[in-house]
Amino acid sequence: MANVIEIKNLSKNYGKNRGVIDVSLEVKEGDIFGFIGPNGAGKSTTIRSMLGFLKFNEGSIKILGMDSVKDREKILANVGYMPSEAWFYNTMKVSEVIKYAADIRGLDCSKEAEKLCERLKVDTGKRIKELSLGNRKKVSIVCAMQHRPKLFIFDEPTGGLDPLMQKHFFELINEYVSEGATCLLSTHVLSEVNRYCKNAALMREGHLTMLDSPKIDDDTFLKFYEDEEA
Amino acid sequence: MKNIFLQEMKLNIKNFLIWSLTVGGLGLACIMLYQSMQGDMKEMADAFSNMGAFSDAFGMSTLSIATMKGFFATEVGTVHGLGSAMFAAILAINILSKEEEGHSGEFLLSFPVSRSKVITAKGLCVLFFLVLFTILCSVLYVSGFWMLEEEIPTAEFTKFMLCQFLMNIEIAAICFAISSCSGKNRMGLGIGIAMLCYFYDLIGRVVPDLKESLVAGPFSYANASEIFSGNEISSLAVLIAVIVISAAVAFTYYYYNRRDLAA
């Protein structure tokens, strides 16, 4: 299987503050890769460096075989990203946001968007400012999935979603992955990693450690967090 | 890029309508006031033209406010100059930074568009609104002249509106550059910049020692009383404006393409 994500010796700092230090990571095609770690460990910094929101200090990132800096636009055409905070333009209607996301990609995603809205029970007539966090997240999922990307990057996607929607969300991921997509899932939820991920890595204090298996028990999982506090 | 441009148009249309109709409407109201004040204007004009440095500052020593041309230059010139400068500043200063302020930056920049294209789309949107603003205000002012059946000083009027448009672009470009550095709403700063430029010009015309440095300010080449008096626009002032605009736009592309974007 080819590497969909290939990060080599990535370092990013925010002046005197640590971001991530010497992170190397490989995610293979067809994987659902769990990315776990305490708040502030560097998960979002890694993801945001991959997507070009942050300018990293050292290292290299290849996504779908392309350089994350030089080929950013080509990469993003094949990536569906869902940020941890699902924010849009408040005055827009849900249907307008979804269409805008497709139009800006130059694609007609209406059929796939309709299917996703039906599965996730998205009310497309409401304005963004009327939505709860959970409902905004559902809109974000539709925007990330409607163009059927090769790589999904989800940053804490299930916070705010009710259990039924969480189930539908993972069903959708499994469907897309079975059709050849790859998924990087940053999460704090152990059950998600245990149940859905094929591989996982732990991020702590800016350092990344590959886990032998994503099947972790509660005690081990909590220890990652306790160690950070200590 | 087209979609970002259209989206920005949608987001700013209300702001544009409020500002253009307010500034243009105020200008039109000023023009309409001329007829009712015309009878008492002669004495007032004489008094205003003998107030030394202040008469110079507001152009009343060279133009008589008893004439339509002079009245337009001193009254509408001030209203339009200040109003359009504030509109340009408000429009430009948040256009990039609002994405971080409103946390929509990650949504926008996770699409396959480069930061340069985002800057271009938003910059063109600012420019487009400034064109529309100038046209709408011009239409309102011209309609005022028509309603009063006064002759329009076409050459001076066209020159004035074009210079004001250039001044608006200059202020917008400075604010656009600030917007590229900031992740917060800086509307107060934008209004402050517009006011500062206006008062810099005003003070420069009152204080003789500052007259030489007037060319550095964007109001120097857009001053209504100078234009309607038939004075030549300083080519150095226009050159400085072009340099400031180019430098601000170049800085925006350079800096916004290199900075980290907040979540």
Side-chain angles (χ1 to χ4, degrees):
Chain A
M1 288 282 183
N3 284 332
V4 172
I5 300 172
E6 202 175 326
I7 301 175
K8 281 185 185 162
N9 311 110
L10 175 74
S11 290
K12 165 71 189 170
N13 59 54
Y14 303 94
K16 285 179 184 169
N17 297 324
R18 164 200 50 82
V20 294
I21 305 157
D22 202 25
V23 166
S24 293
L25 170 70
E26 286 180 1
V27 177
K28 304 273 183 207
E29 192 181 331
D31 200 353
I32 300 178
F33 192 93
F35 202 34
I36 57 175
N39 293 326
K43 301 187 299 294
S44 293
T45 297
T46 306
I47 288 174
R48 301 183 83 246
S49 298
M50 288 164 61
L51 295 165
F53 302 145
L54 302 178
K55 305 290 172 184
F56 48 88
N57 306 103
E58 281 172 44
S60 67
I61 302 174
K62 274 192 168 183
I63 295 172
L64 298 161
M66 294 177 275
D67 185 273
S68 73
V69 178
K70 284 182 204 153
D71 303 310
R72 187 177 164 273
E73 281 180 70
K74 281 184 203 161
I75 289 170
L76 291 180
N78 292 295
V79 170
Y81 171 59
M82 180 184 173
S84 56
E85 300 286 333
W87 290 102
F88 308 99
Y89 304 107
N90 274 337
T91 52
M92 285 173 88
K93 281 185 177 177
V94 170
S95 55
E96 291 170 342
V97 168
I98 293 169
K99 189 169 182 310
Y100 178 61
D103 287 346
I104 214 166
R105 292 180 180 279
L107 301 169
D108 177 8
C109 307
S110 50
K111 278 189 185 166
E112 195 69 12
E114 200 180 326
K115 183 192 96 178
L116 289 164
C117 288
E118 209 177 294
R119 294 271 294 267
L120 295 167
K121 296 185 171 51
V122 175
D123 185 347
T124 55
K126 282 197 169 175
R127 293 205 181 271
I128 294 297
K129 62 183 169 192
E130 297 169 343
L131 301 182
S132 63
L133 171 65
N135 282 319
R136 284 206 314 270
K137 288 229 165 184
K138 290 198 282 185
V139 179
S140 192
I141 293 168
V142 176
C143 291
M145 290 181 167
Q146 64 175 344
H147 58 292
R148 303 177 68 87
K150 290 179 184 164
L151 172 64
F152 292 103
I153 300 175
F154 295 113
D155 194 357
E156 298 175 26
T158 51
L161 290 182
D162 65 51
L164 185 64
M165 283 307 133
Q166 290 183 21
K167 184 174 168 279
H168 288 327
F169 170 67
F170 282 106
E171 282 170 0
L172 284 166
I173 291 183
N174 279 325
E175 285 171 28
Y176 287 118
V177 168
S178 69
E179 290 167 18
T182 306
C183 177
L184 177 73
L185 178 71
S186 168
T187 181
H188 288 299
V189 187
L190 175 61
S191 60
E192 291 175 358
V193 182
N194 277 337
R195 198 176 304 166
Y196 302 106
C197 295
K198 299 174 187 173
N199 291 290
L202 168 71
M203 198 91 198
R204 267 194 307 191
E205 295 183 351
H207 294 279
L208 185 128
T209 314
M210 282 298 295
L211 298 177
D212 296 332
S213 161
K215 314 293 174 203
I216 317 159
D217 59 63
D218 282 355
D219 290 340
T220 313
F221 188 68
L222 286 173
K223 205 165 176 294
F224 297 151
Y225 289 75
E226 284 165 3
D227 283 351
E228 176 89 358
E229 281 174 12
Chain B
M1 203 169 91
K2 184 188 85 183
N3 292 294
I4 299 172
F5 174 79
L6 293 175
Q7 170 66 9
E8 278 306 320
M9 292 290 295
K10 247 191 209 173
L11 291 174
N12 286 294
I13 189 86
K14 210 187 275 181
N15 190 20
F16 159 72
L17 286 173
I18 290 169
W19 274 93
S20 56
L21 291 175
T22 304
V23 174
L26 271 173
L28 177 63
C30 280
I31 295 170
M32 300 313 284
L33 275 177
Y34 173 73
Q35 203 167 42
S36 59
M37 294 169 73
Q38 205 174 7
D40 315 314
M41 214 61 110
K42 182 78 182 76
E43 285 172 25
M44 211 191 296
D46 290 341
F48 281 155
S49 63
N50 291 311
M51 291 169 70
F54 279 94
S55 301
D56 293 341
F58 289 98
M60 287 180 288
S61 55
T62 49
L63 281 166
S64 167
I65 59 165
T67 64
M68 184 63 191
K69 196 161 98 170
F71 186 80
F72 181 88
T74 50
E75 305 301 319
V76 184
T78 306
V79 169
H80 184 84
L82 259 177
S84 65
M86 285 200 277
F87 170 66
I90 288 170
L91 182 65
I93 203 146
N94 282 334
I95 202 151
L96 288 167
S97 61
K98 74 177 174 202
E99 300 293 350
E100 285 168 273
E101 168 90 12
H103 306 284
S104 51
E106 287 203 345
F107 172 66
L108 177 63
L109 288 159
S110 66
F111 296 122
V113 284
S114 65
R115 292 189 195 189
S116 292
K117 282 181 186 165
V118 171
I119 296 168
T120 306
K122 286 176 180 262
L124 285 175
C125 177
V126 171
L127 187 65
F128 189 69
F129 272 125
L130 292 181
V131 172
L132 287 185
F133 184 94
T134 306
I135 292 171
L136 187 63
C137 287
S138 300
V139 168
L140 286 169
Y141 303 153
V142 168
S143 63
F145 277 92
W146 279 341
M147 278 188 264
L148 297 185
E149 294 178 349
E150 290 280 343
E151 193 188 339
I152 304 166
T154 313
E156 289 98 330
F157 180 80
T158 310
K159 194 171 170 184
F160 168 69
M161 293 309 285
L162 286 174
C163 288
Q164 288 283 320
F165 176 58
L166 180 65
M167 177 269 282
N168 295 164
I169 293 175
E170 187 177 352
I171 288 176
I174 294 166
C175 292
F176 196 50
I178 293 170
S179 190
S180 73
C181 313
S182 176
K184 287 181 181 167
N185 185 332
R186 300 280 182 211
M187 195 192 281
L189 180 63
I191 293 173
I193 288 169
M195 300 290 280
L196 188 75
C197 291
Y198 175 75
F199 284 107
Y200 173 77
D201 188 72
L202 199 64
I203 291 165
R205 287 173 197 279
V206 175
V207 181
D209 290 348
L210 291 175
K211 270 193 179 145
E212 292 299 311
S213 56
L214 267 182
V215 285
F219 278 83
S220 63
Y221 55 85
N223 187 283
S225 46
E226 296 265 354
I227 293 167
F228 281 89
S229 300
N231 294 345
E232 279 299 306
I233 300 166
S234 160
S235 47
L236 177 63
V238 174
L239 180 68
I240 290 173
V242 172
I243 291 169
V244 169
I245 293 166
S246 309
V249 172
F251 173 84
T252 304
Y253 278 96
Y254 177 83
Y255 194 78
Y256 198 68
N257 268 309
R258 278 159 186 79
R259 69 180 280 237
D260 290 342
L261 295 177

